Every structure is written in C-alpha cells, then in structure tokens.
Amino acid sequence: MPRLSRKSSPPAACPQCSGKKYISFNWARFQHGHDAESKQVQRALKIERQLKHGWEYACENCGSRWYLGRDGIMMSYIHPSKAGLVEHWNAGTYEVSDEIWDELGKIGATAQGSIAGGRTSAEVPCRVTTVRGETFDMAYVSFQSRPPIDLWQDGRRIRFCDEVASVEPSPYTLPADVRLATSRAQEIRMGYAPTAVQAHDGHLFQLNWANDFFASGPYKGEDLRLTDLAGDWDQADMAGVPSEYILYFVADWRADLDSLYLDAAGGRASEQISAAPEEDENRDASAEDESGRLEQAEGTEERD
C-alpha cells in the first residue's frame, strides 16, 4: 500500500475515503493498490466536476471534497473552510498586464518545489498597490496552476491578482543573491537551515530556510548582504518576517514563467520549464518520490 501523509488529529471521519484523516495522497499510485483500503478509496471517491485545471472529487459516503491536479497525481483534501477559495479560483481568469509582468521580471521569482522535483509555483516578492488604492510593502504575486489550498499555503493571507493595479520593488525584499542562497540552504539540524547576512553597519543576522522579505528594527531586506560566519551562528541574531505581515495575490500559471526564476548568475532561470507540473498531461507518475508521500504536516506521522 502506498504511504500517505496523516494528521495526528482529528481521527478519520470516513473509513471509505479517509476524509479528514489524510491531508493528501498519491492518487496515481492509490488507483493501482490492491489492499483493502486502496480499494475502498477507489470506490468512494468519484469525479464531481471538472475545474479549469484539474477535477473536484467527492466521497459518496460522507460528501468530503477532494482536488486532483490535471496531472492526475496529487489528491488533496479540500477543507470546508477552503471551499470558497476553490470557487473563487475556478470562476475567474487571473492574468497580469504586460506592464506588471515586466516589473515582476525585474525582481525575479522564488519557486516552491514538490517532492517530485517539479516547481509548483512562481512567487515574486514586491510592493503591491491595489485597484482600491491600498499599498502592501510585503506582498507576493503568486503564479500557480492549483487552487491555493495545499498544506504549505495554510495560514496565508490570500487575495487574487485582479485586485493588483501596480507592482514595484519593495525595500523589504532581500537582494536576489540572498534569496537564492536561503532557498538552497542546507539543513544542519532538525528544522534549522541557516543563511548568514550582514547589514551595512556590521550587524549580523541569520535567516532560517527560504526567505524573501526582512524587517527587524531599522533594518530592511535591501540593507543586507551575504556573509560567512564559518559555522559560528551564535554571533548572529535570528530574524525574519511573520507570515501574517505578508499578503499573497494569486495569479494563473503561464507557460513563460521560466524567465522569472532566480539563478546564481544574477537573476534568471537556470532550469528551463515550459509548464506547471499539473499542466503536463504526459508526465509519468513514476517521477514521483518512491514513497508516494506528498505532504506531511508538522507533528504528523506516516502510515504504510
């Protein structure tokens, strides 16, 4: 039986579809499972409707809703609180103007990778001014082919790019080489993958995992540069930006996003891509991690 990600609580609400028990699972493998649970899930989950990218499934037993990307691999549970996001995402076309696209290209995007190695989003950190005149100094334009319901997006403040009037570089955005370095930082102990940076006055900070924005006292992201602490991390203060200060404006995936990605040379994609993983109908499910595990929340356990 394939391995799945499981929440430690609450317990399963439906033994047929495993709704509220599993966050997501590899549907491509689950379809071919011959154990009792695989067969139960195959019988329970039926296509409810086609969405603009992918399908919505429903459990015939409990009514739980699930989203399957267009590649047919990742089945994700749609929590009732996220049903409105799915409807909003599915009902609209969220494209940016040529002017906004050009500005985003000057800033560069960070990428969210899947366990399969594919990119699942392109996110550009910037200052956004909305059509209602609001200004957000720490915001992302987030290009994605899936609705914003996946585990790694939990807790995000989400709106859609039809609200965006203009974008520009934010003083809180870290330089491109710093952002790239944090995205490549190696985990040296559980939950700790540091990158050292230094302000113009010599103040040292460490960033944990991938970061795009920085704000601490008088210091902003644009003030920081990469430095080497030779492993002596105690001399640097830990700092970052809480997620509640950042806003995400969701935009539709587009085939030319490769031009946005950062690379070590200063700016752009070192790996060419032509479409989102969910958009590639010919993608072989064998490219998935052998465990079949897709997402696991903090503090969860795995089940074989």
Side-chain angles (χ1 to χ4, degrees):
M1 172 182 174
R3 297 166 66 198
L4 300 91
S5 303
R6 187 176 71 172
K7 291 183 178 179
S8 55
S9 63
C14 174
Q16 272 66 48
C17 76
S18 296
K20 301 178 185 175
K21 179 181 181 182
Y22 297 123
I23 300 166
S24 63
F25 57 82
N26 186 324
W27 176 246
R29 289 221 174 104
F30 221 67
Q31 282 183 300
H32 304 294
H34 299 293
D35 58 282
E37 187 177 13
S38 291
K39 291 179 179 179
Q40 275 187 334
V41 174
Q42 292 167 24
R43 290 192 297 267
L45 289 181
K46 305 298 181 184
I47 292 178
E48 185 77 5
R49 58 174 176 159
Q50 183 169 358
L51 305 177
K52 68 178 184 180
H53 300 297
W55 298 268
E56 184 175 303
Y57 279 65
C59 173
E60 292 188 332
N61 181 61
C62 72
S64 294
R65 301 285 167 157
W66 298 77
Y67 171 76
L68 181 67
R70 189 173 172 180
D71 64 355
I73 295 177
M74 181 179 178
M75 184 75 80
S76 299
Y77 173 63
I78 303 173
H79 190 277
S81 65
K82 297 179 180 179
L85 280 175
V86 175
E87 293 301 324
H88 195 125
W89 169 82
N90 187 57
T93 299
Y94 303 105
E95 300 176 349
V96 299
S97 67
D98 291 342
E99 181 180 359
I100 290 176
W101 173 258
D102 290 342
E103 288 299 316
L104 295 175
K106 296 173 186 177
I107 299 169
T110 51
Q112 174 73 28
S114 71
I115 286 178
R119 285 168 168 164
T120 60
S121 73
E123 299 184 333
V124 183
C126 56
R127 172 187 282 158
V128 166
T129 300
T130 71
V131 294
R132 291 181 289 189
E134 306 160 290
T135 298
F136 299 97
D137 285 330
M138 289 183 280
Y140 284 102
V141 175
S142 178
F143 295 91
Q144 52 194 78
S145 64
R146 297 172 59 85
I149 62 170
D150 290 318
L151 176 66
W152 56 272
Q153 296 173 296
D154 278 359
R156 287 185 169 186
R157 298 165 58 208
I158 292 175
R159 290 162 72 167
F160 289 79
C161 77
D162 56 344
E163 298 185 57
V164 177
S166 64
V167 301
E168 59 186 309
S170 169
Y172 294 96
T173 299
L174 290 160
D177 61 337
V178 176
R179 288 189 277 146
L180 188 66
T182 66
S183 72
R184 295 176 174 175
Q186 298 298 307
E187 187 176 31
I188 61 177
R189 64 174 183 263
M190 182 70 72
Y192 183 54
T195 300
V197 292
Q198 186 174 35
H200 297 305
D201 63 2
H203 198 115
L204 297 170
F205 293 97
Q206 53 176 306
L207 309 173
N208 191 26
W209 292 110
N211 284 258
D212 289 307
F213 294 106
F214 183 91
S216 180
Y219 305 104
K220 300 181 178 69
E222 65 182 7
D223 301 324
L224 303 180
R225 299 294 181 268
L226 289 171
T227 191
D228 184 6
L229 298 182
D232 185 9
W233 299 104
D234 290 339
Q235 61 183 304
D237 296 330
M238 181 74 74
V241 176
S243 60
E244 59 264 27
Y245 290 98
I246 302 173
L247 196 60
Y248 292 79
F249 292 88
V250 173
D252 288 337
W253 190 272
R254 47 191 288 172
D256 55 352
L257 282 174
D258 60 313
S259 65
L260 287 185
Y261 288 110
L262 298 173
D263 68 4
R268 296 298 172 260
S270 56
E271 174 189 356
Q272 298 295 309
I273 59 170
S274 59
E278 282 73 25
E279 298 293 273
D280 185 356
E281 296 181 0
N282 297 317
R283 182 178 171 195
D284 189 343
S286 65
E288 200 64 40
D289 180 85
E290 288 186 2
S291 68
R293 183 182 59 166
L294 288 170
E295 291 186 359
Q296 184 179 359
E298 182 179 357
T300 61
E301 55 186 299
E302 294 172 0
R303 176 176 174 180
D304 290 330

